[in-house]
Each structure stands twice: as structure tokens, then as C-alpha cells.
Amino acid sequence: DVKVTQSSRYLVKRTGEKVFLECVQDMDHENMFWYRQDPGLGLRLIYFSYDVKMKEKGDIPEGYSVSREKKERFSLILESASTNQTSMYLCASSFTYQPQHFGDGTRLSIL
Amino acid sequence: GQNIDQPTEMTATEGAIVQINCTYQTSGFNGLFWYQQHAGEAPTFLSYNVLDGLEEKGRFSSFLSRSKGYSYLLLKELQMKDSASYLCAYIGTYKYIFGTGTRLKVLA
């Protein structure tokens, strides 16, 4: 079974902090994605990566950056956390044009 | 551009059949997916259509018409545990575009 593991289920941080969300997958998928999900807005793509060291901006990249140094790991970084970044963050991975597999999500609160 | 629509909410009775529709508009298309998401949990993959027609998987079936930009998810013999949000998504070039989800309530 595909396993996508996110480092934390719940996280509370303060405004201005640098926040790291980690995601690891064990299926050798070339593609990895970071989404945020907010009520009424659905899943919105922040960044994705289709290969090691490659990254592409999604629909809402402002205030975020990513890192993919190894194929199995994709990190999302909030450079200076703000309250409007309070959300559910979901990591996913896939082979190209195949179904995505999601991690359990991180519910992030910025105070 | 990219646009995908599905109803916000639907209600059905235990044991019944329900059809959730999804329409999309895109210049690049490489497949359509359906996911189930229970409250507070991550989406889980249900079905995938890349060619026109019906794909059946137990109580769940999904249909695709590429010329009409239309798909539906059919759930038969509804159970209480089917109460969840159902997300349709298509894939263009690398990016997966999600609808906002249809919240299905199954009543006893």
C-alpha cells in the first residue's frame, strides 16, 4: 500500500515564525504536491514537483516555498507565518497522470 | 483556462442510488478522478476515467464523456458510512484541478 506520511497532524505556531511541513512517500513517485484546503474553497495547489530539485508554482504560492532534495521527501516552508495561513495542509504524490495518494494532513494554526 | 463544477450538497436515503455530476472545461485533459473525503480526513482515491465510458468498482461506478466535459459518480446501495464529500478532479499537464466537492448526506 502507498504510504504518504506528513510529519505532524496538528501544529500551532506564532505569527512571523518560519514553519516547516515535511512529507515523505514510499512508492518512488516522481510527482509530489502541496495543497491547502479551506471550507468552501476546496483543494488549492501551492507548489508541486515532478522531479528531484524541480519545483513549479501552483495557484497560490505566495508566502510559501518548497524543497525537494530527495525523491521521497517534499518540504513546504512558510517563510514568515501569518494568520491567513491557518489551514489544513495536504501532501500528495503520484506517478505521472495517475491517481494521487494523500497524506493524513496537517491542521496548522497560526496565532 | 480551467473550470470544474459539481453540486455543493446532496441528500439521499440509505439503500438508494445517488448520482453526483461533475462538469469541466479544459484545453488539456489527461484523465478524471473521483475521491472520497470524510470530515477531518484526507481524500482517498475512488475511481479514474481516461477514456469515455463507464468504470465499475463494486458499489461505485464512474462515467466519462470527454466530448461533453462531463463525468458522474454513481453510488449504489447507499450506506450511512457513504456520508462524506466527493471530489472530482481532472488532470491537465502535470496539475490536478479539483472541484470544491459535493457533500453527501445519507439519511436512515
Side-chain angles (χ1 to χ4, degrees):
Chain A
D1 250 8
V2 177
K3 188 74 178 166
V4 179
T5 304
Q6 293 185 228
S7 49
S8 307
R9 286 299 303 270
Y10 300 94
L11 206 53
V12 180
K13 295 291 181 181
R14 297 214 172 269
T15 305
E17 280 193 71
K18 192 167 186 174
V19 181
F20 294 85
L21 303 182
E22 306 285 345
C23 175
V24 178
Q25 51 96 3
D26 67 357
M27 277 301 291
D28 205 34
H29 288 158
E30 62 267 21
N31 303 310
M32 296 190 75
F33 307 80
W34 274 107
Y35 296 90
R36 63 178 283 178
Q37 186 173 34
D38 302 287
L41 296 178
L43 280 163
R44 292 183 292 167
L45 181 63
I46 305 171
Y47 268 96
F48 66 102
S49 168
Y50 53 86
D51 201 353
V52 176
K53 297 197 187 294
M54 305 300 288
K55 60 185 179 185
E56 293 284 339
K57 290 180 181 178
D59 301 315
I60 50 163
E62 297 78 20
Y64 303 94
S65 63
V66 290
S67 170
R68 192 161 180 208
E69 295 297 316
K70 293 186 178 180
K71 191 173 187 179
E72 66 270 19
R73 186 180 296 270
F74 193 35
S75 303
L76 179 70
I77 303 145
L78 285 67
E79 298 291 342
S80 176
S82 64
T83 54
N84 64 11
Q85 291 177 310
T86 291
S87 186
M88 168 73 99
Y89 289 86
L90 288 160
C91 174
S93 70
S94 75
F95 291 119
T96 301
Y97 301 149
Q98 293 300 304
Q100 292 179 306
H101 297 268
F102 287 85
D104 288 336
T106 296
R107 194 166 290 281
L108 175 65
S109 296
I110 307 295
L111 304 178
Chain B
Q2 49 197 37
N3 190 25
I4 183 164
D5 289 304
Q6 53 182 128
T8 305
E9 213 169 88
M10 298 181 73
T11 303
T13 306
E14 198 175 13
I17 298 173
V18 72
Q19 178 175 312
I20 303 174
N21 295 325
C22 174
T23 58
Y24 63 90
Q25 291 176 311
T26 180
S27 52
F29 178 84
N30 287 293
L32 190 126
F33 305 88
W34 285 94
Y35 292 85
Q36 180 190 61
Q37 186 176 25
H38 285 101
E41 296 181 12
T44 54
F45 168 68
L46 286 178
S47 70
Y48 171 42
N49 296 73
V50 63
L51 299 175
D52 291 352
L54 190 68
E55 292 285 337
E56 296 188 78
K57 233 190 216 185
R59 294 189 298 116
F60 292 34
S61 304
S62 58
F63 171 83
L64 175 67
S65 168
R66 288 172 296 168
S67 61
K68 293 190 166 85
Y70 169 68
S71 174
Y72 67 72
L73 180 70
L74 194 72
L75 293 78
K76 301 177 191 172
E77 300 167 19
L78 278 174
Q79 302 174 9
M80 299 299 288
K81 67 178 182 180
D82 297 330
S83 291
S85 285
Y86 292 85
L87 313 177
C88 69
Y90 70 82
I91 178 161
T93 308
Y94 290 118
K95 285 170 63 174
Y96 296 73
I97 309 301
F98 283 83
T100 52
T102 299
R103 193 162 54 247
L104 175 66
K105 292 183 190 174
V106 179
L107 305 176

